[in-house]
Amino acid sequence: MEMRQLLWRLGDRFVDDPKPAWFDHAGDLVVVRGEVVWETPDVTDGAVYHELPAGTYPVYVGTNASPGDDWNPDTFRYDVRAVVIPLAEPGRIAEADWDVEDYGGGFQFVEDYAVLWDGQAMRAPSLTGAASSFFEDARDAIAARGPHFRRDNWATVVLDEETGANAFVFPVSGESVNGYEILDEDENVLCLVLTTYE
């Protein structure tokens, strides 16, 4: 099985309507502490950490277009509906048990943008003083590049130069976030699927 086929199957299984219309490779997430979080800083109450082995992992995003208001074209935007982080080859993920529980949308609230980052990035020494505004700066950079008519309307920020720990900032339309871990028979994570939830 190819990665693109796997992504579409994951989208059909785990993403609520509207389903992603596209999947793109957004880049690689550097995991240093073994903790991954999907949230809006200062909005999400009590983040859920996903435990992944330290390493560098590809990040794929499923996007769809929100038509918005016919009278106001600026309300049109592309939104990220799903983030997929595979830790194994597609065939192995496809053969695993996908009957997994989520952590339930409705309490992990997000607002317009969500951040995918590692625990090390969250605690990086660089997040002090002016540098702590990375989230606001990333949102401004996305807006400056024209988020409404670009499918790849996200930002990647390196927050710890020593380790390479980074963060992705994605525009989202859901009110909360959700997550699923696909495991092997030994409870090792094969794939992480993070979604937005209306």
Side-chain angles (χ1 to χ4, degrees):
M1 170 172 286
E2 295 181 356
M3 180 58 69
R4 190 152 298 277
Q5 293 174 296
L6 176 68
L7 293 171
W8 288 116
R9 286 186 56 194
L10 291 168
D12 286 342
R13 170 65 176 82
F14 294 111
V15 184
D16 293 328
D17 289 330
K19 304 286 187 186
W22 306 274
F23 276 96
D24 296 286
H25 178 230
D28 296 327
L29 180 69
V30 177
V31 177
V32 178
R33 295 179 60 97
E35 303 169 336
V36 172
V37 182
W38 173 232
E39 64 174 349
T40 300
D42 300 325
V43 172
T44 307
D45 184 18
V48 173
Y49 290 83
H50 295 273
E51 300 291 333
L52 301 184
T56 301
Y57 302 103
V59 174
Y60 295 92
V61 293
T63 310
N64 75 320
S66 300
D69 183 348
D70 290 340
W71 298 100
N72 182 3
D74 284 343
T75 61
F76 178 92
R77 61 185 271 171
Y78 289 100
D79 293 301
V80 170
R81 296 285 296 155
V83 174
V84 177
I85 304 175
L87 285 77
E89 59 275 8
R92 193 167 162 219
I93 296 169
E95 292 172 1
D97 181 8
W98 288 15
D99 186 18
V100 295
E101 292 186 9
D102 60 5
Y103 52 73
F107 79 101
Q108 298 291 332
F109 294 106
V110 289
E111 186 175 288
D112 297 329
Y113 293 84
V115 177
L116 173 72
W117 54 350
D118 162 70
Q120 177 72 18
M122 295 174 68
R123 299 170 184 88
S126 64
L127 292 185
T128 58
S132 64
S133 66
F134 92 92
F135 179 55
E136 292 79 8
D137 293 343
R139 291 185 304 187
D140 292 347
I142 292 169
R145 291 196 311 267
H148 304 301
F149 302 108
R150 294 176 60 253
R151 202 170 81 208
D152 57 340
N153 58 346
W154 52 78
T156 308
V157 183
V158 175
L159 297 174
D160 188 333
E161 294 290 344
E162 183 176 335
T163 64
N166 58 350
F168 289 88
V169 181
F170 297 111
V172 296
S173 60
E175 296 180 354
S176 61
V177 291
N178 213 342
Y180 307 83
E181 294 180 354
I182 298 174
L183 310 174
D184 67 12
E185 56 278 1
D186 297 319
E187 302 294 305
N188 298 308
V189 179
L190 298 178
C191 187
L192 183 59
V193 181
L194 305 171
T195 68
T196 59
Y197 184 89
E198 301 295 336

